[in-house]
Amino acid sequence: MRLHRLDVTAFGPFGASQGVDFDDLSAAGLFLLHGPTGAGKTSVLDAVCYALYGSVPGARQSGQGMSLRSDHAAVGTRTEVRLELTVAGRRLEVTRQPPWERPKKKGVGTTVDKAQTWLREYDAGAGAWKDLSRSHQEIGEEITQLLGMSREQFCQVVLLPQGDFARFLRADAEARGKLLGRLFDTRRFADVEKRLAERRRATEALVREGDAALLADAHRMQQAAGDAMALPELAPGEPGLAEAVLTAAAVARSTARELLAVADCRLLTAESAQAAAERDLAGARELDRLQRRFAQARERAARLAERAAAHHAAQKRMERARKAEAVAPALELRDAADAEHRRAAAAEERARALLPQDLADAGAAGLAAAARRAAEELGGLDSARRAEQRLGELVEERTRLDRQERADEDVLHEAEAWLADWETTRTGLRADVDSAQEAATRAEQLAVQRDPAQRRLNAARQRDQYAADTEEAQRHALASAEHAVEARARWLDLKEQRLNGIAAELADSLTEGAPCAVCGATEHPAPARKVAGHVDREAEERALAAYQDADERRADAERRLGTVREALAATAEAGDAPTARLAEEAEDLERRYARARASASGLHTAQEELRRAEHEREQRIAAQQQAAVRAASRVGNRERMESERTALEEELTRARGNADSVAARAAQLERRATRLTEAADTARVAEDTAQRLKDADARLADAAFRAGFHTPQDAAAALLDAAAHRELQRQLDAWDLEEAAVRAVLTEADTAAAAQQPPADLAAAEHTAADAGRRLRDASSARDAAARRCAELDRLSGHAATSVRRLAPLREEHGRVARLATLAAGTSADNERRMRLESYVLAARLEQVAAAATARLQRMSSGRYTLVHSDDRTGRGRSGLGLHVVDAWTGRERDTATLSGGETFFASLALALGLADVVTDEAGGVRLDTLFIDEGFGSLDDQTLDEVLDVLDSLRERDRSVGIVSHVADLRRRIHAQLEVVKGRSGSVLRQRGTG
């Protein structure tokens, strides 16, 4: 990184714009930044840091934003810092403006403008600057990435701060660790320590959680074992817990299996006793059953003997009913024939009641012959029916012809009347079309004139408005200009009055014994006195502010006047015509256009009316022609229909007879034929059923005689219906079954033998069996409980063994992580020096810094001193970041706190330069071509100062330039390239002297 130019405005002590040409200062490799205390030497370095990072170094970070602004700056001047530099082969320009509070442009009071940042890059090919970004965040990230270091690192290695490295030289290990950690960014190693510690706690928690689950399994196994299991007195996480739990579980499982074997033996004994008792109970129950069976059979036999007489009577009744069943078909046939004959006789009587008197007593054959004659006469009326139907059709057709004739006459009359007025109608419709067409043409012509007329009217109205605005703007501009002239005159008057009385104002700041700012004298015999009406600086500034405000208002009024005049010039289209006349012309044009549009809107309607009238004329002419054709055809149709009607009427007169119509005659004949046919049929059926009834009576008498009954009535009385027959048969079958069952039981050998034995003692056998069953259930429950205990212990032991196997890798990982965590934290016994990982890395960096610093320290101390790193244990017994100095004159190593003031300065300077080299390499090899060293040279003697300057001058070998910030007068003689900061009442200024 090489600085080229720095420009500051209203920054720190610099009220006006100041510039620094670092290219000119750096030509000699070594330049001096000097000036009196408080002039602003450090502010130059603050400006460089602010341009790059947007903030100033170290303790001065509170000076941000509006507090960076110079108290000497003019009210309207904005604070700005611009830095031009080359970094990573790119020439950049960074411009920053902090937020500032400025007076409002209008009204009173102040407003705050936001901070602004610009980044530009010089394009050598184009020979011009190009903008890169205006984003604070983007520019900050870009600068940090290019420099490869944070603001803190930059301030340590580029702006070597006053006193910081002297403190670093004397600091303890903890303070050195904090500084080195910021510079070399060893947070990743601290993060590793933290991560290992978190991982150790996490794995420890998992191990404890697994051990807790294992102990829970052990408690459940103790409950399953009936508290016969001894639990290990170990807490989760303690060594040997898993082995102790598994050992106790094995002992509990062995004890449970022995108890299970004893329960099995007891269960076998109980099962044998229970089987014997069950056999005895079964024998007693069987004897009791047989004895009760024999007694019940004897009781049933006695009841059968009591019902023997009733059983014999039922048998005789069943036998007589079976004989009557042979006569039953003949009885059923005779009853059916009798019912059929009665129905046929009734039907014959109803049919004869409808016949004429002359046929009421006729036989079946006579009735049939009369029916045939009526049917033949009915068939002869078919032709008459068709003639009657055709006659009706002819009447309807004649009526339709008459209706058509009247309609055609109406059509002819209407068409003749309408066509008579056709020429008049067509002439009127044609006139309407022509009138609407002319109105449409007129509306198109007027439409072309509307827009120009409206534009002229609008322009005229704007012209009138802008003319009034122009007059008002002219008056306002003139008044503003006069006010500005008066304000300027007042300000100049007040300024002149203040200059005239400035001596009195300067005299107010005089102090006896203090030098005068004008002449330098320490005695003030006759200081000037303020006169009445004295104008001070505040009054002058108020007058200046009033003038500036009036001048701004004047400029605004002139801009407003120019704007209005431009707008007025844009209304030239209106010309000089009065607005009222243009408005009247536009309104007249609109009225005529509206009337023409209204007239033209009927064009389409008029054309449609004309087309419809022409179409209607064609339709009426066609209707006339069609009506004439229909009238000619109707004459022939009337003659034909009249001839056919006469013939049909003669035929119908013959066919109707005495009836009103052929249909009525046909209905009479149809009713007569139907009644005769029905009467003939019912007479034949009655004769047939009478003969069948006679035959059935003969067959019934013969069947009753053969079955052994004296009369058919006896046979009918002996018959049983289906329900009575089934009930009687059920009684007979039940008697037979009961008799056979009783006989079978009484003849059984085992039942008869059981009846000879003493009564069975069933209660005693049941009590003995119940007692044996209860002993078996107790033994079975005890055996099941022992089996469940074994199974539960096996399950829990398996689960515990699985947990132990699953926890084994976790225990191993926890041990490995714990060893690493304690080793990195410096608490492990394997870490002999008890050094943390971050401290170990920082110690390596400190060794590099000490080696780089020693190369310069030996030259500054004429080979006497060497810086070395020490890792001796310090506080709490841990190895620290010790830094010692080796004195070649004594050969002893001693603490850096024993160095004198001058020795401390050049030792700390060597340390700072060495640290800059190491940090530069650590930051990725970014070249630091410009360095600044702030103060400390006043503590050196001439010889040491020469040696220190020689070392600094040797930095040019690495193409570096070094700026020394000091007010030591002897350095101004030794270093020719200088940047002087001169302070004054109106702020500090910069004076530069280069090698030329």
PDB file of all heavy atoms in Angstrom, residues 37 146 537 578 666:
ATOM      1  N   THR A  37       2.514  21.391  19.795  1.00  0.00           N
ATOM      2  CA  THR A  37       1.532  20.520  20.447  1.00  0.00           C
ATOM      3  C   THR A  37       0.127  21.072  20.236  1.00  0.00           C
ATOM      4  O   THR A  37      -0.121  22.271  20.426  1.00  0.00           O
ATOM      5  CB  THR A  37       1.831  20.426  21.946  1.00  0.00           C
ATOM      6  OG1 THR A  37       3.149  19.910  22.114  1.00  0.00           O
ATOM      7  CG2 THR A  37       0.821  19.524  22.639  1.00  0.00           C
ATOM      8  N   LEU A 146      -8.741  -5.579   0.096  1.00  0.00           N
ATOM      9  CA  LEU A 146      -7.517  -5.219  -0.616  1.00  0.00           C
ATOM     10  C   LEU A 146      -6.350  -5.055   0.347  1.00  0.00           C
ATOM     11  O   LEU A 146      -5.221  -5.517   0.065  1.00  0.00           O
ATOM     12  CB  LEU A 146      -7.741  -3.924  -1.407  1.00  0.00           C
ATOM     13  CG  LEU A 146      -8.662  -4.030  -2.630  1.00  0.00           C
ATOM     14  CD1 LEU A 146      -8.908  -2.653  -3.221  1.00  0.00           C
ATOM     15  CD2 LEU A 146      -8.065  -4.957  -3.687  1.00  0.00           C
ATOM     16  N   ARG A 537     -18.228  39.882  16.459  1.00  0.00           N
ATOM     17  CA  ARG A 537     -18.197  38.830  15.418  1.00  0.00           C
ATOM     18  C   ARG A 537     -19.569  38.186  15.216  1.00  0.00           C
ATOM     19  O   ARG A 537     -19.983  37.898  14.099  1.00  0.00           O
ATOM     20  CB  ARG A 537     -17.179  37.750  15.798  1.00  0.00           C
ATOM     21  CG  ARG A 537     -17.071  36.630  14.781  1.00  0.00           C
ATOM     22  CD  ARG A 537     -16.037  35.630  15.196  1.00  0.00           C
ATOM     23  NE  ARG A 537     -15.930  34.556  14.228  1.00  0.00           N
ATOM     24  CZ  ARG A 537     -15.060  33.548  14.318  1.00  0.00           C
ATOM     25  NH1 ARG A 537     -14.218  33.492  15.346  1.00  0.00           N
ATOM     26  NH2 ARG A 537     -15.026  32.621  13.396  1.00  0.00           N
ATOM     27  N   PRO A 578     -58.479  37.311 -28.289  1.00  0.00           N
ATOM     28  CA  PRO A 578     -59.004  37.284 -26.912  1.00  0.00           C
ATOM     29  C   PRO A 578     -59.524  35.894 -26.552  1.00  0.00           C
ATOM     30  O   PRO A 578     -60.078  35.185 -27.403  1.00  0.00           O
ATOM     31  CB  PRO A 578     -60.134  38.312 -26.934  1.00  0.00           C
ATOM     32  CG  PRO A 578     -59.845  39.179 -28.128  1.00  0.00           C
ATOM     33  CD  PRO A 578     -59.183  38.305 -29.134  1.00  0.00           C
ATOM     34  N   ALA A 666    -124.914 -49.604 -36.374  1.00  0.00           N
ATOM     35  CA  ALA A 666    -123.883 -50.608 -36.096  1.00  0.00           C
ATOM     36  C   ALA A 666    -123.845 -50.933 -34.613  1.00  0.00           C
ATOM     37  O   ALA A 666    -123.670 -52.099 -34.225  1.00  0.00           O
ATOM     38  CB  ALA A 666    -122.510 -50.096 -36.565  1.00  0.00           C
TER      39      ALA A 666
END
